[in-house]
Amino acid sequence: MSQKIKPRIYKGTRDFLPEQMIKRQFVINHIERIFKKYGFEALETPTMELWETLSGKYGEEADRLTYRFTDRGDREVGLRYDLTVPLSRVVASYPHIPKPFKRYQIQPVWRADKPQKGRFREFYQCDIDVIGSASMLAEAEILAAIYEILKVLGFDQFLMRINSRKILRGIAEVSGISPEQEGTMARAIDKFDKIGLEGVKSELIKSGINAAKTKALLEKLGSSGTNSQRITDAEKYLKESDTGIQGLEELKKLFHFLQIYEIPEEYLIFDLFLARGLDYYTGPIFETFVREPQIGSITGGGRYDNLIGMFSGTDYPATGCSIGLERIITVMEELDMFPEYLKTPIQALVTVFEASTLDYSIDIARKLRAAHINTELYTGESKLRGQFGLANDKSIPLVIIAGPDEIENQQFNLKNMRTGEQSTHLLEDLIMRVQEILNTLHSE
Amino acid sequence: MSQKIKPRIYKGTRDFLPEQMIKRQFVINHIERIFKKYGFEALETPTMELWETLSGKYGEEADRLTYRFTDRGDREVGLRYDLTVPLSRVVASYPHIPKPFKRYQIQPVWRADKPQKGRFREFYQCDIDVIGSASMLAEAEILAAIYEILKVLGFDQFLMRINSRKILRGIAEVSGISPEQEGTMARAIDKFDKIGLEGVKSELIKSGINAAKTKALLEKLGSSGTNSQRITDAEKYLKESDTGIQGLEELKKLFHFLQIYEIPEEYLIFDLFLARGLDYYTGPIFETFVREPQIGSITGGGRYDNLIGMFSGTDYPATGCSIGLERIITVMEELDMFPEYLKTPIQALVTVFEASTLDYSIDIARKLRAAHINTELYTGESKLRGQFGLANDKSIPLVIIAGPDEIENQQFNLKNMRTGEQSTHLLEDLIMRVQEILNTLHSE
């Protein structure tokens, strides 16, 4: 046609070709299955939200990073920045939604950011939240679902770090740190993983918390021993703080529940150095830290009892967690954690020997599909050699050939592309022979 | 928190709440499963494309209806308008993709249009395409997949209308209509369903095709009889047109293939009144017309051998089809075509009798989930009565109750919410008893 255009993608966005899509779908399908098993239901919200809905919810930085434009009717709109603000709008918009509302949501979000390695302008988020429950059971359900997801995906050496904003407030109180300094304190503590104890110390002092108070604070944060020892220690120095004690009582309940869920103790840690960045948390906060492979945090969340009230007359207690879907997929790819067979959904390629044998090939494809076997029938123009090349390029595990001899004898020829074995069988045994080989592949 | 905002959604977009999502997922899952069975693999492309990629591909109207803005780095970008142009960009960008490339893509697209009943600014499209095959087998694969999808979803009285741009060109030739008038001719014919034969006639005459030519044309289009009779009729009057004869030869092959695929003849019609609106079609074109329920066309597509060349040095033969996903979902909802059980993914609600029985309830939920039963554990604060209300509101089919008496005897109480039956069983029979009831539900 007329002028040719050099094909270019918008920087910071990605095409997901079939070999990536099958891996993404594998992870997302497992996550969705487990979410449903834990009673979470799906929600989707629009890509565009009115600017009034998005603005001022996340802070100045986020307002700046939101894709934002004026539509043809002069309405200011923005592209979805995360999944929590849309959820809050939904809860406020549909008061009839039965509570507790347990929803999951897996959709892309957009950031008008400079693209860098591993940082994209479009990426998927994956959230679960419980709206309308003040019980620690809500946190337990979320953590149990996440535990099962990580296990199923093949992560093993991970720690679910748990703390509470109430406990941090209590520690601030008993260390003589004023409520105004609590935000600064939390942000300094939150950097512990990156800058270490000395780093946190100097950040705290720089921010105007004096050396004595800093010392008092850090002594308390550096607790050790089992989770119940850590709780007992904290009970001692928090007894002057009602908020602190309340936070501790909540975590005691949560740890008790997690035991009934049979989540092994070694996966759980009451970690006072966990603070989380966002301002809106009000109770328990949690993160999952993967030790082996060393990839850091891949989930994070907490209780936010006051956020939904921004959109409606009514406050709802709420707690939720975001799963770092993109990070999980990247790590699983880099570390080759996907099953060997997960290269294509196609299980068999039916070749076309020559024009005159085509009907027989169509019939074989039809029979395989009727038996729920994902089958590609060759539609191109290459000879048999090129057709085998296609099976190789696409990692299709089985190739079926039927030339005039096979047709004459109502047979087919079957090649196992993994082993190279090739054999001829009766057409009436088609499904059985193909299934035999497919079964060996999935048990690899 | 500070100021309250009245929650508003951006007009023309939708929230999909759980009761809609389960139906959408049901349809999409069936479609994806069948696409894979026919050897189509998944592709996803970015929401934003550079404006240079989108502009001028669809015509003026579409350029006007594309959401378009300038990013912070002064790049002009637009939101995905359909799935065909992104596919063409992908094929041109990654020359290593093995051909034939059979891809499916299910993603939202955006139109900066005035919202109306049934017309949205954001909606899903669902496409399959075969790139790199000039064979009619590619068309046959697409039509066979669509046939199976519609059957599985419960559509029965439908017709797959098939025609060819080559045949229409042939008819124009032998009716003395000039190549310049062919576009006008196709657009007029395409309105047959809406404006009838007389309407088409006056449109043709209005557009400058004289009465004699119009008469000659309409005589040919109004063919009748079986498909092979229609083909034989057309062969007679097309013998002077090479293009027309080539188009007929292709359709003869296609009808022959569809017979081997065992698609019953009564679902297929060679319909000369099918023309399709888009300019870029070059060969066979097809639509599915649903007669009962009367909803008109729900799929449409055709061969477009020259489109991909716009993005790359190389032309690829290509053919594809769009499935009207949103329309299918709307119709299935309106006509109550979804299975009765498809109201929630949650199969059982485990109630909490009182605080002291909570651990026992957690244990029951844990056991059900280990047996892959989707289970909600009640996390709210209502008494048992309110918990039953929640099960009702969410259409959860089974409720499990365990009070102090049941715990004492290691039992549980089970209520079938469909029949109202309630019975007490031993805890060790939990999975068996629950499965018994779930099995009756799915065989309804």
Side-chain angles (χ1 to χ4, degrees):
Chain A
M1 292 203 172
S2 51
Q3 90 277 37
K4 303 254 183 289
I5 314 146
K6 193 171 174 291
R8 291 199 303 160
I9 194 168
Y10 178 50
K11 228 182 147 189
T13 70
R14 293 166 288 175
D15 294 312
F16 297 117
L17 301 186
E19 67 260 32
Q20 283 126 30
M21 280 302 293
I22 193 172
K23 297 191 170 87
R24 295 179 72 82
Q25 289 179 337
F26 175 85
V27 173
I28 290 172
N29 289 346
H30 272 307
I31 290 177
E32 283 198 280
R33 181 176 60 78
I34 294 168
F35 282 167
K36 287 177 184 168
K37 203 156 86 168
Y38 282 82
F40 291 88
E41 295 183 272
L43 174 73
E44 280 190 12
T45 63
T47 294
M48 288 175 275
E49 293 276 357
L50 292 170
W51 177 243
E52 65 183 36
T53 300
L54 301 175
S55 72
K57 300 304 177 306
Y58 312 96
E60 267 175 44
E61 166 81 350
D63 279 0
R64 207 173 47 84
L65 292 182
T66 303
Y67 276 99
R68 180 182 168 185
F69 55 90
T70 304
D71 82 353
R72 289 167 61 212
D74 261 345
R75 278 161 297 257
E76 275 215 273
V77 295
L79 301 187
R80 187 169 53 224
Y81 183 83
D82 79 347
L83 305 177
T84 308
V85 165
L87 170 65
S88 305
R89 181 189 54 70
V90 163
V91 171
S93 300
Y94 309 91
H96 71 273
I97 294 176
K99 312 281 178 327
F101 179 38
K102 297 174 76 176
R103 88 87 174 77
Y104 75 83
Q105 189 168 356
I106 304 175
Q107 286 190 283
V109 299
W110 296 270
R111 304 282 163 91
D113 209 349
K114 264 212 161 37
Q116 293 173 22
K117 190 187 177 302
R119 190 188 291 177
F120 299 100
R121 285 176 166 150
E122 173 173 40
F123 57 93
Y124 274 72
Q125 281 195 346
C126 170
D127 281 19
I128 36 172
D129 292 83
V130 183
I131 311 293
S133 168
S135 165
M136 287 303 111
L137 205 50
E139 271 83 0
E141 289 272 294
I142 288 170
L143 292 172
I146 287 172
Y147 173 81
E148 186 164 338
I149 286 168
L150 292 177
K151 279 288 189 180
V152 163
L153 293 178
F155 292 93
D156 188 35
Q157 300 284 314
F158 58 87
L159 257 186
M160 305 182 96
R161 303 168 69 197
I162 299 170
N163 196 6
S164 164
R165 278 290 172 88
K166 289 181 184 168
I167 295 172
L168 287 175
R169 188 173 310 152
I171 293 178
E173 279 176 28
V174 301
S175 307
I177 292 167
S178 70
E180 293 72 38
Q181 288 175 313
E182 270 174 36
T184 320
M185 178 194 85
R187 279 186 290 277
I189 293 174
D190 205 45
K191 293 187 190 155
F192 176 69
D193 286 346
K194 285 177 196 142
I195 61 178
L197 192 63
E198 285 307 309
V200 174
K201 201 168 167 178
S202 63
E203 286 250 338
L204 288 167
I205 290 173
K206 231 189 300 172
S207 73
I209 298 171
N210 71 34
K213 288 177 184 173
T214 295
K215 186 160 174 284
L217 172 68
L218 291 179
E219 272 173 11
K220 296 179 184 82
L221 298 184
S223 69
S224 61
T226 65
N227 290 323
S228 59
Q229 279 167 336
R230 286 161 185 243
I231 289 173
T232 313
D233 288 350
E235 266 173 339
K236 284 178 203 146
Y237 60 72
L238 281 177
K239 57 179 178 292
E240 302 299 317
S241 162
D242 288 350
T243 310
I245 289 296
Q246 198 194 344
L248 266 183
E249 288 303 317
E250 288 175 353
L251 286 204
K252 270 158 90 173
K253 261 193 197 151
L254 177 54
F255 278 104
H256 168 74
F257 290 151
L258 292 173
Q259 206 177 343
I260 315 282
Y261 279 92
E262 298 195 349
I263 297 179
E265 176 83 10
E266 69 258 36
Y267 288 91
L268 303 168
I269 186 164
F270 171 33
D271 186 345
L272 286 160
F273 272 106
L274 175 72
R276 309 249 338 125
L278 291 168
D279 281 349
Y280 57 54
Y281 290 121
T282 57
I285 46 181
F286 30 89
E287 257 183 40
T288 309
F289 184 83
V290 178
R291 289 184 291 191
E292 187 56 44
Q294 285 188 21
I295 52 168
S297 161
I298 50 170
T299 79
R303 183 165 280 278
Y304 52 98
D305 284 347
N306 303 324
L307 187 65
I308 292 169
M310 286 183 82
F311 288 95
S312 63
T314 343
D315 260 344
Y316 286 103
T319 181
C321 187
S322 213
I323 295 183
L325 183 63
E326 300 282 357
R327 200 148 177 202
I328 286 174
I329 293 167
T330 307
V331 168
M332 288 181 67
E333 270 190 317
E334 281 174 9
L335 299 177
D336 217 3
M337 288 168 69
F338 288 104
E340 174 58 26
Y341 63 82
L342 209 70
K343 293 200 169 140
T344 173
I346 303 168
Q347 298 170 294
L349 174 72
V350 179
T351 58
V352 177
F353 191 84
E354 57 188 32
S356 71
T357 65
L358 183 49
D359 289 1
Y360 195 80
S361 287
I362 294 178
D363 191 51
I364 288 177
R366 194 185 55 74
K367 288 190 164 82
L368 290 170
R369 287 165 179 165
H372 303 290
I373 293 160
N374 294 344
T375 304
E376 174 153 4
L377 171 61
Y378 186 70
T379 53
E381 273 146 49
S382 295
K383 303 263 177 220
L384 220 45
R385 189 192 170 88
Q387 301 183 38
F388 274 102
L390 181 73
N392 245 329
D393 289 347
K394 294 176 78 164
S395 300
I396 301 173
L398 275 187
V399 173
I400 289 167
I401 314 105
D405 290 350
E406 282 83 11
I407 297 176
E408 173 79 33
N409 301 308
Q410 287 287 295
Q411 293 177 326
F412 67 98
N413 191 280
L414 181 63
K415 180 162 182 180
N416 181 332
M417 297 293 282
R418 300 275 188 271
T419 63
E421 286 170 281
Q422 204 163 348
S423 50
T424 301
H425 308 280
L426 285 175
L427 186 61
E428 62 189 35
D429 296 333
L430 175 71
I431 306 305
M432 190 180 70
R433 294 301 180 190
V434 167
Q435 273 305 0
E436 268 172 14
I437 297 183
L438 291 177
N439 290 340
T440 65
L441 296 175
H442 280 253
S443 61
E444 257 169 14
Chain B
M1 288 201 172
S2 51
Q3 90 278 36
K4 302 254 183 288
I5 315 145
K6 194 173 173 289
R8 291 199 302 161
I9 195 168
Y10 178 50
K11 228 181 147 189
T13 70
R14 293 167 288 176
D15 295 313
F16 297 117
L17 301 186
E19 67 260 32
Q20 284 126 31
M21 280 301 293
I22 191 170
K23 298 192 170 85
R24 294 179 72 82
Q25 289 179 337
F26 174 85
V27 173
I28 290 172
N29 289 345
H30 273 306
I31 290 177
E32 284 199 277
R33 180 176 60 76
I34 294 168
F35 282 167
K36 287 177 184 168
K37 204 155 87 169
Y38 281 81
F40 292 88
E41 295 184 272
L43 174 73
E44 280 191 13
T45 63
T47 294
M48 288 175 274
E49 293 276 358
L50 292 170
W51 177 243
E52 64 184 37
T53 301
L54 301 175
S55 72
K57 301 303 176 305
Y58 311 97
E60 267 176 44
E61 167 80 350
D63 278 0
R64 208 173 47 84
L65 293 182
T66 303
Y67 276 99
R68 178 181 169 186
F69 54 91
T70 306
D71 82 353
R72 290 166 60 211
D74 261 344
R75 278 162 296 259
E76 274 215 273
V77 295
L79 301 187
R80 186 170 55 226
Y81 183 84
D82 80 346
L83 305 177
T84 308
V85 166
L87 170 65
S88 304
R89 181 189 53 70
V90 163
V91 171
S93 300
Y94 308 92
H96 72 273
I97 294 177
K99 310 282 177 324
F101 178 38
K102 297 174 74 176
R103 87 89 174 75
Y104 75 83
Q105 189 167 358
I106 304 175
Q107 285 191 284
V109 299
W110 295 270
R111 303 281 163 94
D113 208 349
K114 265 215 159 34
Q116 293 172 22
K117 190 188 177 303
R119 190 187 291 176
F120 300 99
R121 286 176 166 150
E122 174 173 38
F123 57 93
Y124 274 73
Q125 281 193 348
C126 171
D127 281 20
I128 37 173
D129 291 83
V130 182
I131 311 293
S133 167
S135 166
M136 287 302 112
L137 205 49
E139 271 83 1
E141 289 272 293
I142 288 170
L143 292 172
I146 287 172
Y147 173 80
E148 185 164 340
I149 286 167
L150 292 177
K151 279 288 189 182
V152 163
L153 294 178
F155 292 93
D156 189 34
Q157 299 285 316
F158 58 88
L159 257 187
M160 304 180 97
R161 304 169 67 198
I162 299 171
N163 196 7
S164 165
R165 278 290 172 89
K166 289 181 184 168
I167 294 173
L168 287 177
R169 190 172 310 153
I171 294 179
E173 279 176 29
V174 300
S175 307
I177 293 168
S178 71
E180 293 71 39
Q181 288 175 311
E182 272 174 36
T184 320
M185 178 194 86
R187 278 186 291 278
I189 293 174
D190 205 45
K191 291 188 191 155
F192 176 68
D193 286 347
K194 285 178 197 143
I195 61 178
L197 193 63
E198 284 307 310
V200 174
K201 201 168 169 180
S202 62
E203 287 250 337
L204 288 167
I205 291 174
K206 228 189 301 172
S207 72
I209 298 174
N210 72 33
K213 289 178 184 172
T214 295
K215 186 163 173 281
L217 172 69
L218 291 179
E219 271 172 11
K220 297 179 183 83
L221 298 184
S223 69
S224 61
T226 64
N227 290 323
S228 58
Q229 280 166 337
R230 287 161 185 243
I231 289 174
T232 314
D233 289 349
E235 266 172 340
K236 285 178 205 144
Y237 60 73
L238 280 179
K239 55 179 179 295
E240 302 298 316
S241 162
D242 289 350
T243 311
I245 290 295
Q246 197 192 345
L248 266 183
E249 289 303 317
E250 288 175 354
L251 286 205
K252 269 159 94 174
K253 260 194 196 147
L254 178 54
F255 278 105
H256 168 74
F257 289 152
L258 292 172
Q259 206 179 344
I260 316 283
Y261 279 93
E262 298 195 350
I263 297 179
E265 175 84 10
E266 67 257 37
Y267 288 90
L268 302 169
I269 185 164
F270 171 33
D271 186 345
L272 286 160
F273 272 106
L274 176 72
R276 308 241 349 118
L278 291 169
D279 281 347
Y280 57 56
Y281 290 121
T282 57
I285 47 180
F286 30 89
E287 256 184 40
T288 309
F289 184 82
V290 178
R291 289 184 293 191
E292 186 58 43
Q294 283 188 21
I295 53 168
S297 161
I298 50 170
T299 78
R303 182 166 280 279
Y304 52 99
D305 283 346
N306 303 324
L307 187 65
I308 293 169
M310 288 184 80
F311 288 97
S312 65
T314 342
D315 260 346
Y316 287 102
T319 180
C321 186
S322 212
I323 294 183
L325 183 62
E326 301 283 357
R327 199 145 179 207
I328 287 174
I329 293 168
T330 307
V331 168
M332 289 181 67
E333 269 190 319
E334 281 173 9
L335 300 177
D336 218 3
M337 289 168 68
F338 289 105
E340 173 59 26
Y341 64 82
L342 209 71
K343 294 202 167 136
T344 173
I346 303 169
Q347 299 170 291
L349 175 72
V350 178
T351 59
V352 177
F353 191 84
E354 57 187 32
S356 71
T357 65
L358 183 48
D359 289 2
Y360 195 79
S361 288
I362 295 177
D363 191 51
I364 288 177
R366 192 184 57 72
K367 289 191 164 82
L368 291 170
R369 288 163 179 167
H372 303 290
I373 292 160
N374 294 345
T375 304
E376 173 153 5
L377 171 61
Y378 186 70
T379 53
E381 272 147 49
S382 295
K383 304 267 176 215
L384 219 46
R385 189 193 171 87
Q387 300 182 40
F388 274 101
L390 181 73
N392 246 326
D393 290 346
K394 294 176 78 165
S395 301
I396 301 173
L398 275 187
V399 173
I400 289 167
I401 314 105
D405 290 351
E406 282 84 11
I407 297 176
E408 174 79 33
N409 301 310
Q410 287 289 294
Q411 293 176 327
F412 68 97
N413 190 282
L414 181 63
K415 181 164 182 179
N416 181 333
M417 297 293 282
R418 299 275 189 270
T419 63
E421 284 170 284
Q422 203 163 349
S423 51
T424 301
H425 308 280
L426 285 176
L427 186 60
E428 62 192 68
D429 296 333
L430 175 70
I431 305 306
M432 190 179 72
R433 294 300 181 191
V434 167
Q435 274 305 3
E436 267 172 15
I437 297 183
L438 291 179
N439 290 340
T440 65
L441 296 176
H442 280 253
S443 60
E444 257 169 14

